[in-house]
Amino acid sequence: MPSLRSRALSAALIAAGRRRRFASAEAVRARVAESARRPASHLPPRWLGKVAEVSRTFVGAWPVYDVSPLGAEPAARVLYVHGGEFIDELVRPHWALIRTLVTEARARCVVPAYILAPRGTADRTVPVAADLLSGLIASGGDGGTVLIGDSAGAGLALAAAQRLRDRTGAQPSRIVLVSPWLDVTMTHPDQAALEAADPLLARPGLVEAGRLYAGTLATDDPRVSPLHGSFAGLAPLTVFAGSRDVLVTDSRELVRRARADGVEVDYHEAAGLPHGYPLLPVPEGRAARAEIVRLVRSATDGD
């Protein structure tokens, strides 16, 4: 049974009409057009600079933020790939998780503000993400490297890990996926029933966002939808998902297919929780964040 706070938050999301953002392809196209006219900021909040050292470089056209413990050597390295259905920038809950990783896990977090769809498409985005992961693994130092992504960012993260495996065989110490969106085709037969209870997401808008991200690629191309790729040789996976999420089918399929390919998978499915619950201010979210901190702390030099 979800906590009272979680149930209240889900009810508030429904009352606020958050699903309307994904109610139709037209709604998504209107958001993308508005973002082109008035781009949202991906800058870190000012409060982050009070607890961490924050710098920014550019990898091609991507701004990449480097967030490290203030006055201390990092104990581990994290590449964090943010969600937002490939069309939204970093927002406050993402930065709050990054702050937690820096202050509680003493991690150096590398955070790309990747180019959003439709300008940023999978054929361009996945190789850059793989290069960032490769560079962070190769940078060495104490501790290991953990790859973390949420929602669409989890799909990009997994595709980057698959590409790096195919290219060099290298992998991070662990891959952590939060409510991952791994198949933008949105064709799983269970999704129709799940959608009715989802307080945040709806299939029509997700299909359009996925189409924009796919660009000239097929939506079932593994670079776009890594659930259609292979999993053998990937790092151990930890996956968090809520059962009140139309995308929970992706997590369930990932667990089944990855284990069949011999990958170690640690799966956490929270009953009655919505999409992205580990980023939410609810008891279940705090517990999930504590587990993510533990996983980062436990990363070893076995990159």
Side-chain angles (χ1 to χ4, degrees):
M1 174 71 70
S3 66
L4 180 61
R5 187 172 180 85
S6 295
R7 284 178 280 160
L9 180 58
S10 290
L13 292 170
I14 293 170
R18 289 295 297 274
R19 280 183 55 179
R20 284 196 297 267
R21 302 176 305 149
F22 298 99
S24 66
E26 292 76 18
V28 165
R29 288 196 292 268
R31 286 175 58 203
V32 169
E34 178 61 20
S35 295
R37 288 191 297 269
R38 301 175 59 184
S41 173
H42 50 66
L43 293 172
R46 291 182 179 177
W47 46 255
L48 188 61
K50 298 178 181 180
V51 296
E53 296 179 6
V54 183
S55 61
R56 183 177 69 175
T57 57
F58 284 85
V59 176
W62 290 18
V64 178
Y65 296 94
D66 199 314
V67 188
S68 295
L70 197 62
E73 284 296 315
R77 301 176 297 281
V78 168
L79 178 63
Y80 177 71
V81 190
H82 74 88
E85 293 71 45
F86 302 113
I87 59 174
D88 289 331
E89 291 286 5
L90 285 147
V91 293
R92 186 182 182 92
H94 299 136
W95 290 115
L97 176 58
I98 292 161
R99 176 182 62 187
T100 298
L101 294 171
V102 171
T103 58
E104 297 185 20
R106 211 154 55 86
R108 172 196 171 199
C109 294
V110 174
V111 186
Y114 53 88
I115 304 301
L116 302 175
R119 287 200 304 127
T121 51
D123 59 334
R124 301 174 180 176
T125 303
V126 172
V128 181
D131 287 344
L132 281 172
L133 178 59
S134 177
L136 194 58
I137 293 171
S139 65
D142 292 336
T145 300
V146 179
L147 174 62
I148 302 176
D150 74 273
S151 191
L156 173 53
L158 185 59
Q162 289 171 333
R163 180 180 175 89
L164 186 58
R165 174 207 58 198
D166 294 344
R167 197 174 68 193
T168 69
Q171 285 291 283
S173 304
R174 179 168 293 272
I175 301 169
V176 179
L177 306 178
V178 174
S179 297
W181 188 19
L182 306 175
D183 183 3
V184 307
T185 68
M186 299 298 297
T187 54
H188 195 285
D190 293 346
Q191 288 180 337
L194 289 163
E195 181 181 26
D198 192 319
L200 281 169
L201 301 176
R203 288 180 296 164
L206 289 173
V207 168
E208 179 64 9
R211 185 189 69 81
L212 294 175
Y213 177 62
T216 60
L217 298 176
T219 54
D220 62 355
D221 186 295
R223 289 168 288 181
V224 182
S225 296
L227 193 60
H228 295 275
S230 65
F231 304 100
L234 291 181
L237 290 165
T238 297
V239 183
F240 296 87
S243 69
R244 201 174 178 182
D245 179 0
V246 68
L247 298 178
V248 71
T249 54
D250 288 8
S251 293
R252 294 169 180 170
E253 284 294 313
L254 171 64
V255 170
R256 182 180 66 82
R257 298 183 192 187
R259 285 175 175 166
D261 279 351
V263 178
E264 175 192 326
V265 184
D266 179 26
Y267 183 47
H268 305 261
E269 184 175 313
L273 270 291
H275 182 75
Y277 83 88
L279 277 68
L280 298 178
V282 296
E284 297 90 342
R286 286 191 290 274
R289 292 192 294 276
E291 176 62 11
I292 293 171
V293 166
R294 187 193 68 79
L295 290 167
V296 173
R297 283 177 173 169
S298 66
T300 67
D301 287 326
D303 295 350

